[in-house]
Amino acid sequence: MIKTKLVGFERVLPSLSVTNDDLAKLVDTSDEWISSRTGIRARHITTDQNTSDLCIGTAKKLLEKAGWESESVDMIIVGTVTPDYSTPSTACMVQAALGCVNAMCFDISAACSGFIYSLSVADKFIKSKTVKRAIVLGAETLSKITDWTDRTTCVLFADGAGGVLVEAADEGGILYEDIHSDGSKGSSLVAGYRQNENPYYKGEAKSRGYIEMNGRDIFAFATRMVPRSIKAVLENTDVGADEIKYFVLHQANKRINELIARKLKVSEDKFYSNIDHTGNTSGGSIPIALAEMNEKGLLKKGDKIILSGFGGGLTWGTMLIEL
Ligand code: ACO
């Protein structure tokens, strides 16, 4: 059976790093409040790049490092809820910039699970032999849908892109996945509502489209469903938690991941964390973390790693991969 192997890991973060003290000049908050509740100390915020720019930079690094010809890429998927446009897709913009003329390109909207959903789709195309090589990116410029006067959300969200190359292989790769959605709870985290202003529209006028979140609902959802999903993956593959080198979870809030680690009875040291300097980059967070880990030499051939994303939709999903 064909396997889907992850063979490259890169990221691009905007150069501006905004600290908690910087934010305390914009809204009534403090470094103490933000860091004690979320683990965030700074985050990267774009000054001129859009989501496509971050994706193009990431994909360019991926291709250069791996020595892949642009023409050899069969598919580009971007997991994002902050595309530059509704159309063209961000993935099509990456294709145009890099000359990946043979690639099928589209975006996936699954919020903070967007990278896991995108990887899952790429996996199916590879296993069906339709695709041999794909670029899978997770990227956001959440700063453009953040209300910078709302201290309950503007301290959490950030910008950045990460991505991987995936390729058909004989062994290892994506071993198992457990992926879910619960649209009935979608109102806990909403963003990007687009008001219809056609001359005939009589519907109600809604919000300006900024992120609105019930933080406590999200906290409860994540700490209930993510451990369940990780356990399902381990049980169904007969892999013990002790065999997992790292748990790379969506970086929403350090306290969420600490509680998940405790519920799984796994040492927090195995839960990679970079939220202190990245903030919450939604679909970008998992591939950004993987790229950072790769740069530090933490990803070794044969390692088994759990990836788990959770967020708007609501959506969540876990994957077991072998490097
Ligand atoms: N600085 C100072 N005070 C603040 C801030 C801030 N940035 N934000 C809220 N407060 C105040 C509130 O106004 C409130 O004050 P009040 O008691 O006088 O009304 C008080 O702090 C408590 O507010 P809560 O919203 O109840 O704060 P809570 O302790 O629940 O913490 C948090 C908020 C950190 C968001 C928490 O709910 C949480 O961890 N939720 C998880 C959700 C999350 O992390 N989402 C990330 C995005 S979603 C995703 O990626 C899946």
Side-chain angles (χ1 to χ4, degrees), residues 208-253:
R208 291 157 299 167
Y210 291 135
I211 300 171
E212 290 171 31
M213 177 184 74
N214 182 327
R216 293 195 173 183
D217 282 359
I218 295 293
F219 196 99
F221 146 71
T223 53
R224 189 171 62 248
M225 302 317 289
V226 177
R228 244 189 239 183
S229 178
I230 294 175
K231 273 186 194 158
V233 168
L234 295 177
E235 279 165 19
N236 284 308
T237 50
D238 237 350
V239 171
D242 55 327
E243 294 173 65
I244 303 298
K245 187 76 184 288
Y246 290 107
F247 294 76
V248 184
L249 271 56
H250 167 50
Q251 307 285 305
N253 182 318

Coordinates of all heavy atoms in Angstrom, one line a residue, residues 208-253:
R208 N -19.1 43.0 11.8 CA -18.1 43.5 10.8 C -17.2 42.3 10.3 O -16.3 42.5 9.6 CB -17.3 44.6 11.4 CG -18.0 45.8 11.6 CD -17.4 46.7 12.6 NE -17.3 46.0 13.9 CZ -16.6 46.4 14.9 NH1 -15.9 47.5 14.8 NH2 -16.7 45.7 16.0
G209 N -17.4 41.2 10.9 CA -16.6 40.0 10.4 C -15.4 39.7 11.2 O -14.6 38.8 10.9
Y210 N -15.2 40.4 12.3 CA -14.0 40.1 13.2 C -14.3 38.9 14.0 O -15.4 38.4 14.2 CB -13.8 41.3 14.2 CG -13.3 42.6 13.5 CD1 -13.9 43.8 13.9 CD2 -12.3 42.5 12.6 CE1 -13.4 45.0 13.3 CE2 -11.9 43.7 12.0 CZ -12.4 44.9 12.4 OH -12.0 46.1 11.8
I211 N -13.2 38.3 14.5 CA -13.2 37.1 15.3 C -14.1 37.3 16.5 O -13.8 38.3 17.3 CB -11.8 36.6 15.7 CG1 -11.0 36.3 14.4 CG2 -11.9 35.3 16.6 CD1 -9.5 36.0 14.8
E212 N -15.0 36.4 16.8 CA -15.8 36.4 18.0 C -15.7 35.0 18.6 O -16.0 34.1 17.9 CB -17.3 36.8 17.7 CG -17.5 38.2 17.3 CD -18.9 38.5 16.9 OE1 -19.8 37.9 17.4 OE2 -19.0 39.3 15.9
M213 N -15.4 35.0 19.9 CA -15.1 33.6 20.4 C -15.7 33.5 21.9 O -15.6 34.5 22.6 CB -13.6 33.5 20.5 CG -13.2 32.2 21.1 SD -11.4 32.1 21.3 CE -11.1 33.2 22.6
N214 N -16.3 32.4 22.2 CA -16.6 32.1 23.6 C -15.4 31.2 24.1 O -15.4 30.0 23.9 CB -17.9 31.3 23.6 CG -18.3 31.0 25.1 OD1 -17.4 30.8 25.9 ND2 -19.6 31.0 25.4
G215 N -14.5 31.9 24.7 CA -13.2 31.3 25.1 C -13.4 30.1 26.0 O -12.8 29.1 25.9
R216 N -14.4 30.2 26.9 CA -14.6 29.0 27.8 C -15.2 27.8 27.1 O -14.8 26.7 27.4 CB -15.5 29.5 29.0 CG -14.8 30.5 29.8 CD -15.4 30.8 31.1 NE -14.4 31.7 31.8 CZ -14.5 32.1 33.0 NH1 -15.6 31.7 33.7 NH2 -13.6 32.9 33.5
D217 N -16.1 28.0 26.2 CA -16.6 26.9 25.4 C -15.5 26.2 24.6 O -15.4 25.0 24.5 CB -17.6 27.4 24.4 CG -19.0 27.6 25.0 OD1 -19.1 27.4 26.2 OD2 -19.9 28.1 24.3
I218 N -14.6 27.1 24.0 CA -13.5 26.5 23.2 C -12.6 25.7 24.1 O -12.1 24.6 23.8 CB -12.7 27.6 22.5 CG1 -13.7 28.3 21.4 CG2 -11.5 27.1 21.8 CD1 -14.1 27.4 20.3
F219 N -12.3 26.3 25.3 CA -11.4 25.6 26.2 C -12.0 24.2 26.6 O -11.3 23.2 26.5 CB -11.2 26.4 27.5 CG -10.1 26.0 28.3 CD1 -8.9 26.8 28.3 CD2 -10.1 25.0 29.2 CE1 -7.8 26.4 29.0 CE2 -9.0 24.6 30.0 CZ -7.9 25.3 29.9
A220 N -13.3 24.2 26.9 CA -13.9 22.9 27.3 C -13.9 21.9 26.1 O -13.6 20.8 26.3 CB -15.3 23.2 27.8
F221 N -14.3 22.4 25.0 CA -14.3 21.6 23.8 C -12.9 20.9 23.5 O -12.8 19.7 23.3 CB -14.8 22.4 22.6 CG -14.2 22.0 21.2 CD1 -14.5 20.8 20.6 CD2 -13.2 22.9 20.6 CE1 -13.9 20.5 19.4 CE2 -12.7 22.5 19.4 CZ -13.0 21.3 18.8
A222 N -11.9 21.8 23.5 CA -10.6 21.3 23.2 C -10.1 20.2 24.2 O -9.5 19.2 23.8 CB -9.6 22.4 23.0
T223 N -10.3 20.5 25.4 CA -9.7 19.6 26.5 C -10.6 18.4 26.6 O -10.2 17.4 27.3 CB -9.6 20.4 27.8 OG1 -10.8 21.0 28.2 CG2 -8.5 21.4 27.8
R224 N -11.8 18.4 26.1 CA -12.6 17.1 26.1 C -12.4 16.3 24.8 O -12.1 15.1 24.9 CB -14.1 17.5 26.2 CG -15.0 16.3 26.4 CD -16.4 16.7 26.7 NE -17.1 17.4 25.6 CZ -17.4 18.7 25.6 NH1 -17.2 19.4 26.7 NH2 -17.9 19.3 24.6
M225 N -12.4 16.9 23.6 CA -12.4 16.1 22.4 C -11.0 15.7 22.0 O -10.8 14.7 21.4 CB -13.1 16.9 21.3 CG -14.5 17.3 21.5 SD -15.5 16.0 22.3 CE -15.7 14.8 21.0
V226 N -10.0 16.6 22.2 CA -8.6 16.3 21.7 C -8.0 15.0 22.4 O -7.5 14.1 21.7 CB -7.7 17.5 21.7 CG1 -6.3 17.1 21.3 CG2 -8.3 18.6 20.9
P227 N -8.1 14.9 23.7 CA -7.6 13.7 24.3 C -8.3 12.4 23.8 O -7.7 11.4 23.5 CB -7.8 13.9 25.8 CG -8.0 15.3 26.0 CD -8.6 15.9 24.7
R228 N -9.6 12.6 23.6 CA -10.4 11.4 23.1 C -9.9 11.0 21.7 O -9.7 9.9 21.4 CB -11.8 11.9 22.9 CG -12.8 11.1 23.8 CD -14.2 11.5 23.4 NE -14.9 12.0 24.5 CZ -16.1 12.4 24.5 NH1 -16.9 12.3 23.5 NH2 -16.7 12.8 25.6
S229 N -9.6 12.0 20.9 CA -9.2 11.8 19.5 C -7.8 11.2 19.5 O -7.5 10.2 18.7 CB -9.2 13.1 18.7 OG -8.7 13.0 17.4
I230 N -6.9 11.7 20.3 CA -5.5 11.1 20.4 C -5.6 9.7 20.9 O -4.9 8.8 20.3 CB -4.6 12.0 21.3 CG1 -4.4 13.4 20.6 CG2 -3.3 11.3 21.5 CD1 -3.6 14.4 21.5
K231 N -6.4 9.4 21.9 CA -6.5 8.1 22.4 C -7.1 7.1 21.3 O -6.6 6.0 21.2 CB -7.5 8.0 23.6 CG -6.8 8.3 24.9 CD -7.8 8.2 26.1 CE -7.3 8.8 27.3 NZ -8.3 9.1 28.3
A232 N -8.0 7.6 20.6 CA -8.6 6.8 19.5 C -7.5 6.4 18.5 O -7.4 5.2 18.1 CB -9.7 7.5 18.8
V233 N -6.6 7.3 18.1 CA -5.6 7.0 17.2 C -4.6 6.0 17.8 O -4.2 5.0 17.1 CB -4.8 8.3 16.8 CG1 -3.6 8.0 16.0 CG2 -5.8 9.2 15.9
L234 N -4.2 6.2 19.0 CA -3.3 5.3 19.6 C -3.9 3.9 19.8 O -3.2 2.9 19.5 CB -2.8 5.8 21.0 CG -2.0 7.1 21.0 CD1 -1.7 7.6 22.4 CD2 -0.7 7.0 20.1
E235 N -5.1 3.8 20.2 CA -5.7 2.5 20.4 C -5.9 1.8 19.1 O -5.6 0.6 19.0 CB -7.1 2.7 21.1 CG -6.9 2.9 22.6 CD -8.2 3.4 23.3 OE1 -9.3 3.3 22.7 OE2 -8.1 3.9 24.4
N236 N -6.3 2.5 18.1 CA -6.6 1.8 16.8 C -5.3 1.4 16.1 O -5.4 0.6 15.1 CB -7.4 2.8 15.9 CG -8.9 2.7 16.3 OD1 -9.5 1.7 16.5 ND2 -9.4 3.9 16.6
T237 N -4.2 2.0 16.5 CA -2.9 1.6 15.8 C -2.1 0.7 16.7 O -1.0 0.3 16.3 CB -2.1 2.8 15.4 OG1 -2.0 3.7 16.6 CG2 -2.8 3.6 14.3
D238 N -2.6 0.5 18.0 CA -1.8 -0.3 18.9 C -0.4 0.3 19.2 O 0.6 -0.4 19.5 CB -1.6 -1.7 18.4 CG -2.1 -2.7 19.3 OD1 -2.5 -2.3 20.5 OD2 -2.2 -3.9 19.0
V239 N -0.4 1.6 19.2 CA 0.9 2.3 19.5 C 0.7 3.0 20.9 O -0.3 3.6 21.2 CB 1.1 3.4 18.4 CG1 2.3 4.3 18.9 CG2 1.4 2.8 17.1
G240 N 1.7 2.7 21.8 CA 1.6 3.3 23.1 C 2.0 4.7 23.1 O 2.9 5.2 22.3
A241 N 1.5 5.5 24.1 CA 1.9 6.9 24.2 C 3.4 7.0 24.4 O 4.0 8.0 23.9 CB 1.1 7.6 25.3
D242 N 4.0 6.0 25.0 CA 5.5 6.0 25.3 C 6.3 5.9 24.0 O 7.4 6.2 23.9 CB 5.9 4.9 26.3 CG 5.4 3.6 25.8 OD1 4.3 3.5 25.2 OD2 6.1 2.6 26.1
E243 N 5.6 5.4 22.9 CA 6.3 5.2 21.6 C 6.3 6.5 20.8 O 6.9 6.6 19.7 CB 5.7 4.1 20.8 CG 5.8 2.7 21.3 CD 5.0 1.7 20.5 OE1 5.3 1.5 19.3 OE2 4.0 1.2 21.1
I244 N 5.5 7.5 21.3 CA 5.4 8.8 20.5 C 6.5 9.7 21.0 O 6.7 10.0 22.2 CB 4.0 9.5 20.8 CG1 2.9 8.5 20.4 CG2 3.9 10.8 20.1 CD1 2.8 8.1 19.0
K245 N 7.3 10.2 20.0 CA 8.4 11.1 20.3 C 7.9 12.5 20.7 O 8.4 13.1 21.7 CB 9.3 11.2 19.1 CG 10.6 11.9 19.3 CD 11.6 11.1 20.1 CE 12.9 11.8 20.4 NZ 13.8 12.1 19.2
Y246 N 7.0 13.0 19.9 CA 6.4 14.3 20.2 C 5.0 14.4 19.9 O 4.5 13.7 18.9 CB 7.1 15.4 19.4 CG 8.5 15.7 19.8 CD1 9.6 15.3 19.0 CD2 8.8 16.4 21.0 CE1 10.9 15.5 19.3 CE2 10.1 16.6 21.3 CZ 11.2 16.2 20.5 OH 12.5 16.4 20.9
F247 N 4.2 15.2 20.6 CA 2.8 15.5 20.4 C 2.9 17.0 19.9 O 3.3 17.9 20.7 CB 2.0 15.4 21.6 CG 1.8 14.0 22.1 CD1 2.9 13.4 22.8 CD2 0.7 13.3 21.9 CE1 2.8 12.1 23.2 CE2 0.5 11.9 22.4 CZ 1.6 11.3 23.0
V248 N 2.5 17.2 18.6 CA 2.5 18.6 18.1 C 1.1 19.0 17.9 O 0.4 18.6 16.9 CB 3.3 18.6 16.8 CG1 3.4 20.0 16.3 CG2 4.7 18.0 16.9
L249 N 0.6 19.8 18.8 CA -0.8 20.2 18.8 C -0.9 21.6 18.3 O 0.0 22.4 18.4 CB -1.4 20.1 20.2 CG -2.0 18.7 20.6 CD1 -1.0 17.6 20.5 CD2 -2.5 18.8 22.1
H250 N -2.1 22.0 17.9 CA -2.4 23.3 17.6 C -2.1 24.2 18.8 O -2.4 23.8 19.9 CB -3.9 23.5 17.2 CG -4.4 24.9 17.2 ND1 -3.7 25.9 16.5 CD2 -5.4 25.5 17.8 CE1 -4.4 27.0 16.6 NE2 -5.4 26.8 17.4
Q251 N -1.5 25.3 18.5 CA -1.0 26.2 19.6 C -2.1 27.3 19.8 O -2.0 28.4 19.2 CB 0.3 26.9 19.2 CG 1.4 25.9 18.9 CD 2.0 25.1 20.1 OE1 2.4 25.8 21.0 NE2 1.9 23.8 20.1
A252 N -3.1 27.0 20.6 CA -4.2 28.0 20.8 C -3.9 28.6 22.2 O -4.1 29.8 22.3 CB -5.5 27.3 20.9
N253 N -3.4 27.8 23.1 CA -3.3 28.3 24.5 C -2.5 27.2 25.2 O -2.8 26.0 25.2 CB -4.7 28.4 25.0 CG -4.8 28.9 26.4 OD1 -4.0 28.5 27.3 ND2 -5.7 29.7 26.7

